[in-house]
Amino acid sequence: MRPQTRSPVHRTALMRGQPALAACLVLILVFSGCTSLQLSQFRQHAARGDQEWLAAQAINCQRASDGCGQLHLVRGDACFRLAKMGRDPAVNFACAADELKKGLTLKPSWDNADVQLRYQENLCESLRNLKDLQSGETAEQTVKRFLGAAKALYQLAPESVPAVYYLASARLMQMEPMLGDINAATRVPVCIRLKRTVTRVLAVMETAREDTPSDWDRFADNYQRLVFDMGSAMQAAECR
């Protein structure tokens, strides 16, 4: 049998496809190189504590890769630090929430689980603070984002001090709008959720008294305030 030969039309199509394929490969290499270069610059500025410079940078990379994820995480961390220092908190907590979420989503794997947990905690903290600076529908959307981030943290570290705190805080925020016009029909489900949440928080506090976890010192005051706020919510709902 004679070997089959490609038709002129088929050969032409292949020839036309080769420049496009080459261009795609060039673009991939260019973007990869740009990401590596930008990440190197980010790390240098981060090492010098130049948070303002990092927060002001634009990041074009939006594809799943370690380098791209790291870029967003470094910028998000810079925005988070600025916000915690009181530098334009509304803007910087919003930046931190957006960038940390992108970085956590785009980074495909982690060599250090503790680092992943720290970024996830900072995402929760950013959203918790951001909500307090907002109102109306914007605040409602932030509460939804906060609840999602808290659930993700709980999946990474179930029953941990930070995970229980942020999940309980998010659930309290979710229930607070219901307290203003609570009635006989809504009181029971709201009170059940409040009691379940406060029971879990108190359980963590009781465990901490007997065997202090490593994270407890960072969250002890937050737990005290949370219990007070939940008690106020239960009183407002007239829970029995």
Side-chain angles (χ1 to χ4, degrees), residues 6 12 25 46 77 91 102 113 166-167 190-191 205 233:
R6 292 188 176 92
T12 301
L25 292 174
D77 187 63
V91 171
K102 287 179 184 177
Y166 285 118
L167 189 56
V190 167
C191 287
M205 296 177 74

Side-chain angles (χ1 to χ4, degrees), residues 39 42-43 46 54 69-79 119:
L39 183 57
F42 273 34
R43 286 172 173 165
L54 289 165
Q70 285 289 351
L71 280 174
H72 289 284
L73 290 171
V74 172
R75 182 171 184 245
D77 187 63
C79 292
Y119 281 125

Side-chain angles (χ1 to χ4, degrees), residues 40-51 53-54 74 77:
S40 177
Q41 293 174 336
F42 273 34
R43 286 172 173 165
Q44 291 174 15
H45 282 272
R48 294 197 294 266
D50 194 355
Q51 315 300 345
W53 184 91
L54 289 165
V74 172
D77 187 63

Side-chain angles (χ1 to χ4, degrees), residues 27-147:
L27 285 174
I28 291 172
L29 292 173
V30 167
F31 283 124
S32 177
C34 290
T35 299
S36 299
L37 177 60
Q38 189 174 29
L39 183 57
S40 177
Q41 293 174 336
F42 273 34
R43 286 172 173 165
Q44 291 174 15
H45 282 272
R48 294 197 294 266
D50 194 355
Q51 315 300 345
E52 291 86 352
W53 184 91
L54 289 165
Q57 300 308 300
I59 302 174
N60 294 322
C61 178
Q62 303 295 334
R63 61 189 180 85
S65 68
D66 185 76
C68 189
Q70 285 289 351
L71 280 174
H72 289 284
L73 290 171
V74 172
R75 182 171 184 245
D77 187 63
C79 292
F80 178 75
R81 290 171 184 268
L82 289 172
K84 294 293 281 185
M85 289 188 290
R87 308 274 189 87
D88 204 350
V91 171
N92 282 310
F93 274 130
C95 165
D98 291 343
E99 291 299 306
L100 291 174
K101 174 61 177 177
K102 287 179 184 177
L104 287 162
T105 301
L106 294 174
K107 192 171 179 1
S109 62
W110 296 85
D111 296 327
N112 189 327
D114 290 338
V115 174
Q116 182 184 13
L117 282 174
R118 180 175 66 83
Y119 281 125
Q120 191 69 41
E121 285 180 27
N122 290 350
L123 172 59
C124 290
E125 181 69 5
S126 298
L127 290 165
R128 184 181 73 87
N129 283 276
L130 182 60
K131 185 267 175 187
D132 290 338
L133 300 170
Q134 298 172 330
S135 61
E137 187 175 345
T138 302
E140 291 177 10
Q141 292 302 315
T142 298
V143 170
K144 292 178 182 179
R145 293 173 63 192
F146 181 24
L147 184 59

